[in-house]
Amino acid sequence: MLTITQALHDQIVAHARADHPDEACGVLAGPEGGDRPERFVPMLNAARSPTFYEFDSGDLLRLYRDLDDRDEVPVVIYHSHTATEAYPSRTDISYANEPNAHYVLVSTADTDDAGPFQFRSFRIVDGVVTEEEVRVVEAY
């Protein structure tokens, strides 16, 4: 289960809305050895695409150096889908290389009449996708 604060949840959704029609992407960092997202780190979608996201290699290097300096890990890796449901694509699965991370997808497309912003979390390990419950709390 992913437990996330309302503030972090809202920041992810706001980023997805702001970057629409392109996919938004970023990370929620948290203390190493833990599973609690604490810091919102929006990233630039270097692909600038409505169907694909890619972290800029320089930005990604700076991110991992910063995480290392702060004794943090990427607890959540998030991105948006602009025309499909919030479920990992084959490309998303192939690029998932953080087995301990929660992969959050936000859909900015109303694909199932559930509203325009689906917010779902998955674990992706060795190509296997497992959806998990998301619990939004006011504070930890």
Side-chain angles (χ1 to χ4, degrees):
M1 173 178 21
L2 170 64
T3 301
I4 184 172
T5 63
Q6 186 70 56
L8 290 171
H9 173 279
D10 293 350
Q11 286 177 298
I12 291 173
V13 171
H15 186 196
R17 286 179 174 159
D19 281 14
H20 187 86
D22 290 338
E23 290 191 3
C25 56
V27 170
L28 299 181
E32 190 160 352
D35 191 43
R36 188 167 79 185
E38 295 183 352
R39 187 167 62 96
F40 177 69
V41 186
M43 302 286 284
L44 173 68
N45 179 355
R48 294 197 171 106
S49 167
T51 59
F52 180 74
Y53 84 97
E54 179 178 35
F55 293 127
D56 176 83
S57 59
D59 289 346
L60 196 56
L61 179 61
R62 282 186 288 283
L63 169 68
Y64 275 90
R65 285 183 175 158
D66 185 49
L67 292 174
D68 191 48
D69 289 346
R70 295 170 175 255
D71 294 323
E72 292 178 330
V73 294
V75 176
V76 170
I77 299 171
Y78 74 86
H79 75 281
S80 61
H81 282 181
T82 62
T84 59
E85 71 173 319
Y87 190 86
S89 68
R90 283 185 306 225
T91 303
D92 297 337
I93 295 165
S94 70
Y95 284 138
N97 61 2
E98 290 285 349
N100 295 320
H102 302 269
Y103 286 87
V104 165
L105 279 97
V106 175
S107 177
T108 56
D110 185 3
T111 58
D112 64 358
D113 297 324
F117 295 103
Q118 297 175 357
F119 189 103
R120 297 168 72 185
S121 183
F122 305 87
R123 294 291 191 154
I124 305 173
V125 179
D126 296 328
V128 177
V129 177
T130 306
E131 186 164 7
E132 62 184 351
E133 182 182 342
V134 176
R135 185 171 65 127
V136 180
V137 296
E138 283 306 311
Y140 298 126

